[in-house]
């Protein structure tokens, strides 16, 4: 075991049965370590041998480290907590394992990131459907995420409710960088990462196509329109569920979707936003220029992915006071 992980292991949370309490995903298991060097950390141990995935994580970690301010480098102690990207450490030879049915011991990698406290996006929305200020601030936070990803020249690759955490201060953090794009990664195969149903065009789900700097545009538009039109009526139309209301069936056939029709009913602005989503869904590609148009409708200038320069354009955090983005639920 790597020395860093040996030091971290005693701080990993235990289950009621006295075993490490982890959350399993497609490619690994994530554990939480509390009070390690004065902070909480997320430890991801991989359950599949995928050297190319680790090569990608090394590139991703290097890019984030070079472009996102660390807490020691910023003037305001809250400045780094506004970033949606988390500092990441990669250990290629972290844990030595003997796979079942073999006699050979092999090294498996691990990832360590800062732990993010907060609510997953769907849980936050569900508990704030009647809180207009919270919904407006959430929309601002999502626009800031999109702006930062363009500024840092990053595409996440799997934007969906389970990979978006809303912090207590209202900002958002993205987790799970298995399919992330950063400059220089376009020559590496993306493998099986095609995103989650209900957020991607059918073409990407079936072939994994579209890996590159613009692969987040469609899923980002889905989430933007969902936040902008969130209401008890919209969420009540689908009943109990996990995730956000839109399903893959809605995206595959937007013109006949009852839910999409309900989403467009609350205001002229919501109708225009939903119309842009329908155009992107009919096209069926990850590239969705309608994302920039939707941001413009909300008074936000989203820069092109390439050639970003100058200061970051962010909306101010904190409670709404009548300014910020227009209200798609009543405007």
């Amino acid at each position: 075991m790597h020395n860093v992980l040996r030091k971290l292991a005693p701080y990993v949370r235990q289950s009621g049965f006295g075993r490490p309490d982890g959350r399993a995903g497609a490619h690994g298991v994530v554990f939480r370590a509390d009070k390690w060097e004065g902070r909480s950390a997320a430890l991801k141990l991989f359950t599949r041998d995928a050297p190319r995935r680790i090569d990608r994580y090394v590139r991703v970690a290097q890019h984030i480290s070079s472009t996102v301010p660390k807490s020691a480098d910023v003037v305001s102690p809250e400045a780094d907590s506004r970033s949606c990207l988390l500092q990441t450490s990669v250990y290629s030879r972290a844990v030595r394992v003997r796979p079942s049915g073999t006699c050979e011991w092999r090294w498996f990698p691990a990832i360590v990131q800062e732990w993010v406290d907060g609510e997953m996006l769907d849980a936050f929305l569900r508990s704030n459907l009647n809180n207009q200020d919270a919904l407006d601030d959430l929309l601002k936070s999502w626009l800031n995420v999109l702006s930062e990803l363009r500024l840092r020249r990053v595409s996440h690759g799997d934007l969906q409710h389970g990979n978006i955490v809303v912090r207590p201060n209202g900002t958002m953090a993205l987790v799970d960088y298995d399919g992330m794009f950063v400059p220089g990664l376009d020559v590496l195969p993306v493998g099986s990462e095609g995103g989650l149903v209900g957020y991607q065009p059918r073409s990407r789900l079936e072939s994994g196509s579209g890996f590159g700097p613009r692969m987040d545009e469609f899923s980002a538009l889905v989430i933007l329109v969902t936040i902008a039109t969130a209401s008890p009526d919209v969420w009540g139309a689908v009943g109990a569920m996990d995730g956000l209301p839109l399903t893959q069936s809605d995206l595959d056939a937007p013109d006949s979707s009852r839910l999409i029709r309900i989403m467009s009913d609350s205001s002229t602005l919501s109708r225009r936003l939903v119309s842009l989503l329908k155009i992107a869904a009919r096209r069926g590609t990850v590239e969705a220029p309608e994302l920039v148009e939707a941001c413009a409708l909300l008074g936000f200038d989203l820069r092109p992915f390439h050639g970003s320069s100058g200061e970051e354009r962010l909306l101010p955090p904190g409670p709404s006071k009548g300014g910020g983005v227009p209200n798609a639920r009543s405007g």
Side-chain angles (χ1 to χ4, degrees), residues 150 157 193-195 199-205 207-221 280 283-291:
R150 296 288 178 104
E193 287 86 11
Y199 296 87
Q200 301 290 341
R202 178 67 60 181
S203 60
R204 183 159 192 249
L205 293 173
S207 66
S209 62
F211 180 70
R214 297 184 62 187
M215 65 179 171
D216 284 344
E217 291 182 357
F218 186 88
S219 55
L221 179 62
R283 185 187 305 107
T285 63
V286 293
E287 295 87 0
E290 293 78 17
L291 176 64

Side-chain angles (χ1 to χ4, degrees), residues 121-139:
L121 175 61
D122 58 330
F124 184 91
L125 275 167
R126 196 175 292 110
S127 60
N128 285 282
L129 291 174
N130 291 301
N131 186 338
Q132 191 60 60
D133 286 346
L135 293 175
D136 290 345
D137 289 336
L138 186 69
L139 184 56

Side-chain angles (χ1 to χ4, degrees), residues 44 57 113 156 158 160 163 174-180:
K44 181 171 184 175
Y57 256 107
Q113 290 180 324
H156 182 273
D158 190 14
Q160 44 109 336
N163 289 335
L174 303 180
V175 299
D176 190 350
Y177 299 168
D178 282 3
M180 183 171 280

Side-chain angles (χ1 to χ4, degrees), residues 71-128:
S71 57
D73 301 329
V74 296
V75 176
S76 167
E78 294 186 357
D80 59 332
S81 71
R82 289 189 65 191
S83 177
C84 66
L85 299 171
L86 308 177
Q87 296 295 333
T88 302
S89 298
V90 183
Y91 303 95
S92 57
R93 292 166 63 89
V95 180
R96 204 162 173 243
V97 177
R98 187 175 68 183
S100 176
T102 70
C103 299
E104 180 185 359
W105 289 85
R106 295 161 60 186
W107 286 101
F108 274 70
I111 307 293
V112 177
Q113 290 180 324
E114 61 181 289
W115 184 270
V116 183
D117 287 314
E119 288 185 272
M120 306 313 292
L121 175 61
D122 58 330
F124 184 91
L125 275 167
R126 196 175 292 110
S127 60
N128 285 282

